[in-house]
């Protein structure tokens, strides 16, 4: 229930268009829906601007289904990230209209009818290499679901610096740039030095040996010589999308 | 030389208001001013929207003075961060109008006449404890220098959660929130869950023992359970300000 | 054999109610029962107030069965933690009355007849998210087995701070609070700041990337800005329960 | 202002013994006293059972003095930890009755008249070696200030195991044991295996080389083979005292 | 070929008991036997007192077989450590007299006829818990193979300190003590403080969470408060045996 | 397309030997071939002297096939590293002439006709132990593919120092030496002290316990007491070959 | 009081040569001498074969003096390690016959008359470089004080491998070898591969950058490819000496 | 004594131009000059191509002087790195012709007459920022001393990518490129992707917070996405120069 919906509901009650009983029924899950194994937070749209997004890691498919059911009933939509094959299948069985992204491991039930993008500009997702695509897809799907127009620029890492330089125009057109890179994470600094808009860097666990599961890229990005590059957790495509959406929805 | 200034200069040449010789003289430092020990990057205003900011760590006072001289000549203004006592003194001797912030270790030469804030809203700098103030001051001074209105909320860490809850209105009024916290870094997650706008988290090295110089707060912030909190380097007040300014100047 | 039982046995011998031979037979396993691969410590009830609890990690099912047999003979009860599927199955085959908790990976043979809780108040197990439940269940089952009344509060992480704030009364009623949280571990600090009673924080390995297997939550909890929060090992639900039970049984 | 004091104040107002104006004056600092650089949290006695304790690290002597002034006015008492020489001197100048502990780096202004210990039993502070004394003293002073009877057992590390074994009676008489140890931190496990009462382990940075500033002892204590040993931050004597006091004041 | 054997061979040649051709044939593998994927070092008995021991990690079963063949031909004996199931099976097929220890993952082909122990006293292998047995077995088998008498003391960790104290006599009879312990590694310090003879500490990866694969025990042992405890790599039972054997064979 | 080929193509156009249309067709993939999931960098031969090499980690077999197709069309050759079984099989199905190295996990399609080595001398790949062979093979295959003559020296670790000393002549004949070693990485320092030519050290993840996945060897090599030893990432055989080839092709 | 001395004392009492009162006086400090800040362990000679050695780190000069006084009264001798300038001076003032080693930071009061070495052979202290000398001197002084003959081999690191190879005879004559090395720690492996006797490796903090205070050498030594090399803490010269002395005094 | 000099000396002896006695006198320091605290390695010119270079860290000024004396007598030249103020002064007093570089902390006694550069091309030292200059100067001075022509490119970090792009020609002219960079270390990858020649990356400790003393740059460089970039220790300017010189002197 978004803030606008809540206002409308209360106005309806005030105008007699909705009986208090019916309103209570609709507010039943407010502010939390207690599922024993989860407290689905229905205050989230008010505090954050969008409903809870479900991180499937460490949850059983049944638990994910339960939370999604609560969200679908209230909002007609949900987004699940890090959903493994079993969970994605269970969601598709239960919600036939869910959109699965196997590379990005997401499951998204779009609202019906679809909503237009509400963000002010484009969120551009830039990846250093082909192996970074799963994280980039998670970011792109999530940014869409959160109401943003999304662009993509793939495999433009600095080993062949001309690949990103020749795409400068596309970079200049974006409102927010998400840079997804593993290994040395150097692309974040190069992009950060090329554009004026906010740059959200996502280190990935792509690499081996002394990448230590993405630590190398994480540290490099935190120490970026380009001013004002911000960083999210390793492989956290969703987090980058949420940050970009906060920025892109700035009033 | 900002993009606007460059356009004006070229227009003046086109209209005969400026001789090519005079234009060359003014462009002499473009795109870089080669000082032997530094290549002052005068393309920066075009790419980043503001001139180079001088990080004094690892530079001698003379080197800092030299770079500041180049910047002052071109822009009538500069900002130095992490300036120790000697460097601040040397700057004050040479540039009497420089504004020193001893707590934040900054030296800022404001343009004359001063410029109005150009950002769309307020950047709010929130600190968890008194010991985080040096980093918070660096952020606040830098955000001002980069053209933003700045607010402050001090010592509202989660050990007494009511301190931040009762300031919710101030949080809701901000366009961007910078959260500065050491130790457990928990304030970033609490604030991130309260507001919709972008939250830039700055871990500080405040603490001891297993804080490992701010690592504890850094990791906690990177793993924030609040979606879309972004992080900069430990103690990097300037970086947070630069990110907030990028966001606050979104077209 | 608890201290009380030992006293009674010796009194029985003194009063002729028990022959020395019978007493020796019952003391046969005292102070240790030598199983070749294990020295079951039957002095533990005297020193610690409860018999050895079996950590199944690194032990074969047969070794676990052997230790449980020794404990069941002496105390009519045992508790196994971190029992994988094979071990739980083997225990159920051999001890049909054993109570399995698949989520918490515990196997508990309750005494017959059951014993009333001996602790002075309630141990409240609070979890930040659904994914923390396996660790929380281990803590809850163990706290029960150690003679404590147990309450649960699930999925009240700080991303939606209202979820824990609205449960303040339940927190205030507890004698000891166990906070189970992964990712940023921030819930421990918030709860620690809300209550006066002891707070035992359990970092979990829930998370990914820079959570580094629970290190982020561990460090955050060790650096809690709330005074007097204490910490146990990552995912150590049993350890938290043992600590809470020590506290709750304070004479 | 403690909960009892607050109740008494409100009762006085109800009975006309105190004018509302006078009550407001006394409540002026409630819930926080805003000192610009600090929000002294006067709700703390209600939530935690004791006023804020001042951690001097990262604060200027003037800031410490300011906070202490606010606390002394409200409670006639304060405790400062990690106060360096300058800060201790400044406090003694301003508050001649303050009690300094140079080894433990504390400054304590006791209430006048002194208060009797309110905890139920004795908090025993056990140290492995002479070099651990600064941390142990911080713990002992803080435990006293928080209303506990305090005992001490010094230099009983496990290299000469007989030293702690022969003190078993003293260990058995304690309500809570604080074990302060650097290097291998093994004393916590040995004591944890000897007593039934809560054991709070404090790793210290005593050692060199691969102690990595106390990391070795911290990890050893977190992995204690004795069930239910809990741990606080490296060198965090105050935190151990606060935890012990929470335990010792269990209703 | 041991030094003694080499001397005898040369003496035989000198005395005409062996033709130079036959000697060359027997020396063919001296100093190395080049197997393309391995240079079996037949100088090792001279430099180290015993032939190469085969670490199976990272080698294919065929590579292990090849090296063992070279060793068996020269010495009639070999020892393989860290042999997985496939490798142990392959060895048993090829060398029916090989002795497998499944817990310790060793394969040992004893010389025929067997050799008496050559070390001066007993190597005592002490384990803290049942889960440490695989490492302890590797140590015990290797110490035997290297010519030492071996004793065992199992599951005497410090959580029940009486278990090790009551075995003091056994400890006092040993020439070298190998202490195998995971988790907090505290047993090494306690044993180190009880005996005068050399103590070789083997940290194991037994534990979870902040044991970080044995790092906790390793650091604790390196920082042992007992003087003169020495340490080998995590889980390195063979290394401990080799060290103990060097000590026990001191001329 | 190498620089020489590009020059020839342009000369052909200039001389009318090639129509502009045909030239465009051949330049179609220049500078990048956009495959949606990859931007194959056809400028690489100009900047680096050899075409892109495909790192298969994190790529699906289809993605690897696609990139290889683009490379094979342009250069009649490609090299894939870290190709797992499925990927190697898929490549062999599609490119029957590809040469697979199962130990080194490489797939190499040699040009037809084969090219002579272009480097000035021999790249010698030296391994400390049998378990280091997979990394050494990756290095050897890659060095060959990049146009170098390659020699091998296997299992000459410093535990039997005579094994490497007796091969000194082979070391002295090399132009570049690649030292592949896990565990203590000591062989790099010994070789570095024996030869004058460049030594590229490759730490491997061979080992266990405190090798921490090759960290021990990496740090040892970075701290080599032999001057001028350079280091690449853990297990990075290809990187070492690329470096050696840069050196061996010095004009 | 050594075991032999204790036996003699008791025999004297039995034979009337010593009154019980006099015996009590001499046993007054047995088993510990309680100095408030220290429990000097006078059981140590019985358990360890030598009196407590005083580690001065973290102790005030007065505390060190107090412990030394207690030791000097009982044994006529003491050894202090890691004594800074002030402590060494204070010791020399109070005990004019104390022998100071400024490089090794030791203070040793030799017994009068001096005692002959009691160990069976020579302890050889080998250093990789000049910068390792302080640690090596600590080891050498301590080994002497503990009753061993000591030899030295200085600056024979593997960068010039011939330096250690040409000293092979000296290595072969030793009973125990202590290898002191920083940076890559490679010398321990080379020496370990050359000799049969026990090798105790001491990593030092000599180095910079990625030596991380000796971590690189520590890890290298723990992963030594030479079997049976044992390791002590970084810079722990005394620990190595204590271990070597345990070995050299093997009955 | 270089190899050429040794050959000449032996030829002189063979031809009677030098008496054996005189030859012995000149060979007196061969292969090592034993200074008690150091074994100056005079075989180094034969094995490495240049005499020992003195690392002053951890050596007293007297020790440095002693080694330099030995080197000056044999070669008429020496190079000291990491010489602090006292050591540089002591060297200047003793060797008036020594050339000091205060920024790079080097002291170099050039041969008289000077020697021409012997390397085949130019070693180009590229720095990311002004703060990296001390390390870059150490590299430049050392490369010169080792017989190479040296170029410099200063302050061309990727935050303003145009600064390095516009210097491409200078990069293309170099034989070896040394890239000196702290913070994110990204410059190494960008340069590595631009040139074909060997690139030696030197991470510096420039930065703060999560740079962890240069670890961030080190890891980034080890994970460089540009093939064949090699890495030396943090701040190891000399090591980079030695590597570059090995490369530049390839026969």
């Amino acid at each position: 229930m978004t803030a606008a919906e809540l206002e409308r509901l209360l106005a309806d009650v005030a105008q007699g268009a909705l009986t208090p009983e019916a309103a209570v029924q609709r507010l039943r899950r407010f502010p939390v829906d207690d599922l024993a194994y989860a407290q689905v937070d229905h205050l989230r749209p008010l505090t954050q601007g969008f409903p809870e997004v479900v991180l499937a890691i460490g949850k059983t498919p049944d638990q994910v289904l339960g939370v999604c059911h609560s969200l679908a009933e209230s909002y007609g939509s949900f987004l699940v990230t890090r959903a493994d094959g079993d969970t994605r299948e269970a969601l598709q069985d239960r919600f036939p209209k869910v959109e699965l992204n196997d590379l990005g491991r997401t499951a998204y039930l779009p609202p019906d009818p679809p909503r237009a993008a509400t963000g002010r500009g484009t969120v551009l997702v830039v990846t250093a290499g082909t192996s970074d695509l799963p994280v980039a897809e998670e970011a792109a799907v999530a940014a869409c679901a959160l109401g943003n127009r999304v662009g993509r620029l793939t495999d433009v890492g600095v080993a062949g610096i001309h690949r990103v330089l020749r795409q400068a125009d596309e970079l200049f057109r974006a409102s927010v740039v998400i840079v997804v890179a593993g290994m040395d994470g150097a692309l974040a600094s190069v992009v950060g030095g090329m554009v004026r808009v906010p740059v959200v860097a996502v280190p990935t666990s792509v690499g081996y040996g002394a990448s230590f599961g993405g630590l190398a890229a994480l540290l490099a990005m935190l120490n970026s010589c380009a001013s004002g590059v911000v960083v999210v957790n390793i492989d956290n495509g969703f987090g980058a999308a949420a940050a970009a959406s906060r920025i892109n929805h700035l009033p």
Side-chain angles (χ1 to χ4, degrees), chain A:
Chain A
M1 179 168 284
T2 65
E5 288 168 345
L6 182 60
E7 275 174 31
R8 213 170 325 121
L9 180 144
L10 295 176
D12 286 355
V13 173
Q15 295 160 10
L18 193 72
T19 65
E21 292 71 29
V24 162
Q25 186 62 18
R26 289 184 53 191
L27 284 168
R28 184 173 44 92
R29 291 199 180 81
F30 192 84
V32 301
D33 188 11
D34 194 329
L35 300 184
Y37 52 81
Q39 307 257 337
V40 186
D41 183 5
H42 288 284
L43 204 58
R44 206 61 66 93
L46 292 183
T47 58
Q48 305 279 289
F50 54 87
E52 262 201 271
V53 171
V54 187
L55 174 68
I57 288 179
K59 299 199 180 74
T60 65
D62 277 354
Q63 290 172 339
V64 173
L65 275 178
V67 176
C68 287
H69 181 83
S70 172
L71 293 166
E73 280 218 343
S74 291
Y75 312 104
S77 171
F78 61 74
L79 173 62
V80 183
T81 62
R82 303 293 171 99
D84 59 20
D86 286 357
T87 299
R88 290 203 301 271
E89 209 169 294
L91 284 165
Q92 198 166 37
D93 284 354
R94 174 70 188 74
F95 303 98
K97 291 188 175 170
V98 76
E99 297 174 356
L100 303 182
N101 182 317
D102 288 351
L103 194 54
R105 289 152 306 165
T106 56
Y108 175 51
L109 182 69
D112 183 6
R115 272 197 291 268
T118 50
R120 64 175 58 224
T122 297
V123 174
L124 183 67
V125 182
V126 181
T127 52
T130 302
S131 309
D132 300 312
L133 278 176
V135 177
E137 281 304 297
E138 180 182 299
V141 168
C144 268
L146 296 175
N148 304 279
R149 276 187 302 282
V150 172
R152 285 170 170 92
L153 217 54
T154 299
D155 194 23
V156 295
V158 304
I161 189 87
H162 61 96
R163 292 183 298 184
V164 66
L165 295 177
R166 75 194 193 98
Q167 306 271 15
D169 284 350
E170 194 135 354
L171 286 170
F172 294 158
R173 274 195 296 271
S175 279
V176 194
V177 183
I178 294 175
V179 177
V180 183
M183 303 179 91
D184 56 15
L187 186 59
S189 292
V190 170
V191 170
M194 288 173 71
V195 304
R196 295 173 173 219
V197 295
V199 174
V200 181
V202 192
T204 71
S205 54
V206 168
Y208 53 85
S211 106
F212 296 124
L215 179 64
L218 171 65
L219 292 182
M221 287 167 168
L222 285 168
N223 286 281
S224 175
C225 56
S227 308
V229 169
V230 292
V231 187
V232 296
N233 196 0
I234 297 165
D235 289 340
N236 191 2
F238 167 67
S245 188
R246 284 181 184 242
I247 295 168
N248 201 32
H249 281 86
L250 210 63

